[in-house]
Each structure stands twice: as C-alpha cells, then as structure tokens.
mmCIF file of all heavy atoms in Angstrom:
data_model
loop_
_atom_site.group_PDB
_atom_site.id
_atom_site.type_symbol
_atom_site.label_atom_id
_atom_site.label_comp_id
_atom_site.label_asym_id
_atom_site.label_seq_id
_atom_site.Cartn_x
_atom_site.Cartn_y
_atom_site.Cartn_z
ATOM 1 N N ALA A 1 112.178 59.299 111.227
ATOM 2 C CA ALA A 1 110.853 59.044 110.651
ATOM 3 C C ALA A 1 110.836 59.220 109.138
ATOM 4 O O ALA A 1 109.933 58.708 108.462
ATOM 5 C CB ALA A 1 109.824 59.968 111.297
ATOM 6 N N PHE A 2 111.821 59.917 108.586
ATOM 7 C CA PHE A 2 111.841 60.112 107.137
ATOM 8 C C PHE A 2 112.188 58.832 106.387
ATOM 9 O O PHE A 2 111.957 58.758 105.180
ATOM 10 C CB PHE A 2 112.823 61.222 106.764
ATOM 11 C CG PHE A 2 112.347 62.601 107.138
ATOM 12 C CD1 PHE A 2 113.045 63.373 108.054
ATOM 13 C CD2 PHE A 2 111.191 63.122 106.579
ATOM 14 C CE1 PHE A 2 112.609 64.639 108.402
ATOM 15 C CE2 PHE A 2 110.744 64.391 106.913
ATOM 16 C CZ PHE A 2 111.457 65.150 107.835
ATOM 17 N N GLU A 3 112.754 57.839 107.060
ATOM 18 C CA GLU A 3 113.026 56.581 106.354
ATOM 19 C C GLU A 3 111.728 55.928 105.891
ATOM 20 O O GLU A 3 111.591 55.605 104.704
ATOM 21 C CB GLU A 3 113.834 55.619 107.221
ATOM 22 C CG GLU A 3 114.113 54.303 106.489
ATOM 23 C CD GLU A 3 114.818 53.264 107.353
ATOM 24 O OE1 GLU A 3 114.842 53.434 108.587
ATOM 25 O OE2 GLU A 3 115.327 52.280 106.784
ATOM 26 N N PRO A 4 110.734 55.708 106.768
ATOM 27 C CA PRO A 4 109.509 55.064 106.295
ATOM 28 C C PRO A 4 108.576 55.975 105.496
ATOM 29 O O PRO A 4 107.839 55.486 104.627
ATOM 30 C CB PRO A 4 108.832 54.597 107.592
ATOM 31 C CG PRO A 4 109.338 55.514 108.644
ATOM 32 C CD PRO A 4 110.763 55.809 108.247
ATOM 33 N N VAL A 5 108.577 57.287 105.763
ATOM 34 C CA VAL A 5 107.608 58.151 105.091
ATOM 35 C C VAL A 5 108.154 58.794 103.831
ATOM 36 O O VAL A 5 107.405 59.367 103.041
ATOM 37 C CB VAL A 5 107.079 59.253 106.042
ATOM 38 C CG1 VAL A 5 106.497 58.645 107.292
ATOM 39 C CG2 VAL A 5 108.155 60.274 106.380
ATOM 40 N N GLY A 6 109.471 58.723 103.619
ATOM 41 C CA GLY A 6 110.091 59.372 102.471
ATOM 42 C C GLY A 6 110.707 60.694 102.871
ATOM 43 O O GLY A 6 110.212 61.376 103.776
ATOM 44 N N LEU A 7 111.804 61.055 102.210
ATOM 45 C CA LEU A 7 112.562 62.253 102.569
ATOM 46 C C LEU A 7 112.273 63.382 101.585
ATOM 47 O O LEU A 7 112.713 63.339 100.437
ATOM 48 C CB LEU A 7 114.057 61.943 102.575
ATOM 49 C CG LEU A 7 114.981 63.069 103.045
ATOM 50 C CD1 LEU A 7 114.757 63.369 104.520
ATOM 51 C CD2 LEU A 7 116.445 62.697 102.793
ATOM 52 N N PRO A 8 111.557 64.427 102.030
ATOM 53 C CA PRO A 8 111.310 65.572 101.141
ATOM 54 C C PRO A 8 112.608 66.331 100.866
ATOM 55 O O PRO A 8 113.522 66.329 101.694
ATOM 56 C CB PRO A 8 110.339 66.450 101.955
ATOM 57 C CG PRO A 8 109.846 65.597 103.071
ATOM 58 C CD PRO A 8 110.931 64.596 103.341
ATOM 59 N N GLU A 9 112.672 66.991 99.734
ATOM 60 C CA GLU A 9 113.884 67.728 99.383
ATOM 61 C C GLU A 9 114.223 68.794 100.419
ATOM 62 O O GLU A 9 115.397 69.067 100.679
ATOM 63 C CB GLU A 9 113.735 68.380 98.004
ATOM 64 C CG GLU A 9 113.794 67.390 96.855
ATOM 65 C CD GLU A 9 113.862 68.070 95.504
ATOM 66 O OE1 GLU A 9 113.751 69.319 95.457
ATOM 67 O OE2 GLU A 9 114.037 67.370 94.505
ATOM 68 N N GLN A 10 113.185 69.393 101.042
ATOM 69 C CA GLN A 10 113.446 70.454 102.017
ATOM 70 C C GLN A 10 114.193 69.943 103.239
ATOM 71 O O GLN A 10 114.838 70.712 103.952
ATOM 72 C CB GLN A 10 112.129 71.101 102.472
ATOM 73 C CG GLN A 10 111.264 71.626 101.336
ATOM 74 C CD GLN A 10 110.209 70.622 100.937
ATOM 75 O OE1 GLN A 10 110.512 69.457 100.675
ATOM 76 N NE2 GLN A 10 108.961 71.060 100.906
ATOM 77 N N ALA A 11 114.116 68.632 103.499
ATOM 78 C CA ALA A 11 114.775 68.056 104.675
ATOM 79 C C ALA A 11 116.191 67.586 104.379
ATOM 80 O O ALA A 11 116.959 67.328 105.310
ATOM 81 C CB ALA A 11 113.951 66.886 105.217
ATOM 82 N N VAL A 12 116.548 67.480 103.107
ATOM 83 C CA VAL A 12 117.859 66.943 102.738
ATOM 84 C C VAL A 12 119.018 67.728 103.352
ATOM 85 O O VAL A 12 119.964 67.119 103.877
ATOM 86 C CB VAL A 12 118.003 66.857 101.201
ATOM 87 C CG1 VAL A 12 119.433 66.505 100.808
ATOM 88 C CG2 VAL A 12 117.034 65.818 100.640
ATOM 89 N N PRO A 13 119.007 69.073 103.345
ATOM 90 C CA PRO A 13 120.144 69.790 103.947
ATOM 91 C C PRO A 13 120.355 69.471 105.417
ATOM 92 O O PRO A 13 121.499 69.405 105.878
ATOM 93 C CB PRO A 13 119.764 71.268 103.754
ATOM 94 C CG PRO A 13 118.835 71.268 102.587
ATOM 95 C CD PRO A 13 118.056 70.004 102.702
ATOM 96 N N TYR A 14 119.284 69.252 106.164
ATOM 97 C CA TYR A 14 119.408 68.921 107.588
ATOM 98 C C TYR A 14 120.054 67.540 107.761
ATOM 99 O O TYR A 14 120.868 67.336 108.664
ATOM 100 C CB TYR A 14 118.036 68.940 108.257
ATOM 101 C CG TYR A 14 117.389 70.308 108.266
ATOM 102 C CD1 TYR A 14 116.456 70.664 107.287
ATOM 103 C CD2 TYR A 14 117.710 71.241 109.235
ATOM 104 C CE1 TYR A 14 115.866 71.915 107.284
ATOM 105 C CE2 TYR A 14 117.123 72.499 109.245
ATOM 106 C CZ TYR A 14 116.201 72.831 108.261
ATOM 107 O OH TYR A 14 115.617 74.075 108.270
ATOM 108 N N VAL A 15 119.668 66.612 106.904
ATOM 109 C CA VAL A 15 120.216 65.258 106.970
ATOM 110 C C VAL A 15 121.702 65.263 106.625
ATOM 111 O O VAL A 15 122.528 64.675 107.337
ATOM 112 C CB VAL A 15 119.435 64.325 106.018
ATOM 113 C CG1 VAL A 15 120.117 62.958 105.922
ATOM 114 C CG2 VAL A 15 117.991 64.164 106.489
ATOM 115 N N LEU A 16 122.054 65.945 105.540
ATOM 116 C CA LEU A 16 123.453 65.992 105.120
ATOM 117 C C LEU A 16 124.315 66.729 106.137
ATOM 118 O O LEU A 16 125.460 66.333 106.389
ATOM 119 C CB LEU A 16 123.570 66.662 103.745
ATOM 120 C CG LEU A 16 122.856 65.974 102.579
ATOM 121 C CD1 LEU A 16 123.145 66.709 101.275
ATOM 122 C CD2 LEU A 16 123.256 64.505 102.469
ATOM 123 N N ASP A 17 123.767 67.772 106.725
ATOM 124 C CA ASP A 17 124.513 68.519 107.733
ATOM 125 C C ASP A 17 124.826 67.640 108.943
ATOM 126 O O ASP A 17 125.930 67.689 109.492
ATOM 127 C CB ASP A 17 123.720 69.752 108.163
ATOM 128 C CG ASP A 17 124.462 70.596 109.182
ATOM 129 O OD1 ASP A 17 125.489 71.190 108.814
ATOM 130 O OD2 ASP A 17 124.026 70.657 110.343
ATOM 131 N N GLU A 18 123.868 66.810 109.341
ATOM 132 C CA GLU A 18 124.087 65.925 110.489
ATOM 133 C C GLU A 18 125.119 64.858 110.162
ATOM 134 O O GLU A 18 125.959 64.508 110.997
ATOM 135 C CB GLU A 18 122.767 65.283 110.914
ATOM 136 C CG GLU A 18 122.753 64.757 112.328
ATOM 137 C CD GLU A 18 123.053 65.846 113.352
ATOM 138 O OE1 GLU A 18 122.344 66.859 113.396
ATOM 139 O OE2 GLU A 18 124.046 65.678 114.115
ATOM 140 N N LEU A 19 125.073 64.321 108.936
ATOM 141 C CA LEU A 19 126.068 63.325 108.534
ATOM 142 C C LEU A 19 127.466 63.935 108.491
ATOM 143 O O LEU A 19 128.444 63.307 108.889
ATOM 144 C CB LEU A 19 125.716 62.748 107.159
ATOM 145 C CG LEU A 19 124.486 61.846 107.083
ATOM 146 C CD1 LEU A 19 124.193 61.480 105.635
ATOM 147 C CD2 LEU A 19 124.660 60.589 107.930
ATOM 148 N N GLN A 20 127.562 65.156 108.028
ATOM 149 C CA GLN A 20 128.865 65.788 107.848
ATOM 150 C C GLN A 20 129.446 66.315 109.156
ATOM 151 O O GLN A 20 130.662 66.286 109.349
ATOM 152 C CB GLN A 20 128.747 66.933 106.846
ATOM 153 C CG GLN A 20 130.083 67.572 106.496
ATOM 154 C CD GLN A 20 129.971 68.505 105.307
ATOM 155 O OE1 GLN A 20 128.895 68.751 104.791
ATOM 156 N NE2 GLN A 20 131.090 69.034 104.854
ATOM 157 N N ASN A 21 128.582 66.764 110.053
ATOM 158 C CA ASN A 21 129.077 67.458 111.242
ATOM 159 C C ASN A 21 128.662 66.836 112.566
ATOM 160 O O ASN A 21 129.163 67.253 113.616
ATOM 161 C CB ASN A 21 128.589 68.922 111.224
ATOM 162 C CG ASN A 21 129.051 69.671 109.989
ATOM 163 O OD1 ASN A 21 130.233 69.727 109.705
ATOM 164 N ND2 ASN A 21 128.110 70.235 109.243
ATOM 165 N N GLY A 22 127.760 65.869 112.548
ATOM 166 C CA GLY A 22 127.221 65.320 113.783
ATOM 167 C C GLY A 22 128.242 64.537 114.592
ATOM 168 O O GLY A 22 129.099 63.844 114.049
ATOM 169 N N ARG A 23 128.117 64.636 115.900
ATOM 170 C CA ARG A 23 128.988 63.894 116.815
ATOM 171 C C ARG A 23 128.179 63.088 117.837
ATOM 172 O O ARG A 23 128.762 62.491 118.731
ATOM 173 C CB ARG A 23 129.924 64.856 117.570
ATOM 174 C CG ARG A 23 130.922 65.617 116.700
ATOM 175 C CD ARG A 23 131.918 64.686 116.015
ATOM 176 N NE ARG A 23 133.021 65.409 115.395
ATOM 177 C CZ ARG A 23 132.958 65.988 114.207
ATOM 178 N NH1 ARG A 23 131.816 65.951 113.514
ATOM 179 N NH2 ARG A 23 134.010 66.610 113.697
ATOM 180 N N ASP A 24 126.865 63.106 117.704
ATOM 181 C CA ASP A 24 126.014 62.339 118.606
ATOM 182 C C ASP A 24 125.501 61.105 117.873
ATOM 183 O O ASP A 24 124.926 61.207 116.783
ATOM 184 C CB ASP A 24 124.833 63.188 119.089
ATOM 185 C CG ASP A 24 123.975 62.447 120.099
ATOM 186 O OD1 ASP A 24 123.079 61.684 119.674
ATOM 187 O OD2 ASP A 24 124.213 62.619 121.312
ATOM 188 N N ALA A 25 125.722 59.929 118.465
ATOM 189 C CA ALA A 25 125.377 58.672 117.787
ATOM 190 C C ALA A 25 123.899 58.605 117.411
ATOM 191 O O ALA A 25 123.545 58.120 116.332
ATOM 192 C CB ALA A 25 125.753 57.480 118.675
ATOM 193 N N TYR A 26 123.031 59.093 118.281
ATOM 194 C CA TYR A 26 121.586 59.008 118.023
ATOM 195 C C TYR A 26 121.206 59.853 116.812
ATOM 196 O O TYR A 26 120.470 59.393 115.921
ATOM 197 C CB TYR A 26 120.823 59.475 119.262
ATOM 198 C CG TYR A 26 119.339 59.202 119.231
ATOM 199 C CD1 TYR A 26 118.830 57.923 119.474
ATOM 200 C CD2 TYR A 26 118.424 60.225 118.982
ATOM 201 C CE1 TYR A 26 117.471 57.670 119.457
ATOM 202 C CE2 TYR A 26 117.062 59.983 118.967
ATOM 203 C CZ TYR A 26 116.583 58.705 119.206
ATOM 204 O OH TYR A 26 115.219 58.464 119.188
ATOM 205 N N LEU A 27 121.714 61.079 116.742
ATOM 206 C CA LEU A 27 121.391 61.954 115.624
ATOM 207 C C LEU A 27 122.013 61.464 114.318
ATOM 208 O O LEU A 27 121.384 61.518 113.260
ATOM 209 C CB LEU A 27 121.861 63.382 115.920
ATOM 210 C CG LEU A 27 120.929 64.243 116.769
ATOM 211 C CD1 LEU A 27 121.602 65.564 117.126
ATOM 212 C CD2 LEU A 27 119.613 64.494 116.051
ATOM 213 N N VAL A 28 123.246 60.982 114.386
ATOM 214 C CA VAL A 28 123.905 60.488 113.167
ATOM 215 C C VAL A 28 123.194 59.233 112.656
ATOM 216 O O VAL A 28 122.972 59.077 111.450
ATOM 217 C CB VAL A 28 125.398 60.211 113.433
ATOM 218 C CG1 VAL A 28 126.039 59.520 112.237
ATOM 219 C CG2 VAL A 28 126.133 61.515 113.740
ATOM 220 N N ALA A 29 122.819 58.341 113.558
ATOM 221 C CA ALA A 29 122.065 57.149 113.148
ATOM 222 C C ALA A 29 120.739 57.552 112.507
ATOM 223 O O ALA A 29 120.321 56.979 111.495
ATOM 224 C CB ALA A 29 121.819 56.248 114.355
ATOM 225 N N ALA A 30 120.079 58.548 113.092
ATOM 226 C CA ALA A 30 118.801 59.015 112.545
ATOM 227 C C ALA A 30 118.981 59.577 111.140
ATOM 228 O O ALA A 30 118.168 59.321 110.240
ATOM 229 C CB ALA A 30 118.211 60.075 113.468
#
C-alpha cells in the first residue's frame, strides 16, 4: 500500500529489511 500512498521514512527500514532478507515472494514483491 505504500506504493500509491507514499513511503514514510519510518517505514523504510522495514522495506529494506524485507528486500535484503526476505524469502517469501509475496513479501518481497510488496
């Protein structure tokens, strides 16, 4: 949902953590 509404700085660590460590296609795509 952060794609259409914009990504607040507080959410950036969660996004980067998922990109770096995620192994689930749904979460990584998100």
Side-chain angles (χ1 to χ4, degrees):
F2 288 117
E3 180 185 15
V5 304
L7 185 66
E9 287 189 354
Q10 305 96 308
V12 171
Y14 296 97
V15 172
L16 298 184
D17 182 68
E18 200 58 57
L19 290 174
Q20 185 169 5
N21 301 305
R23 296 296 191 278
D24 184 275
Y26 191 77
L27 277 173
V28 172

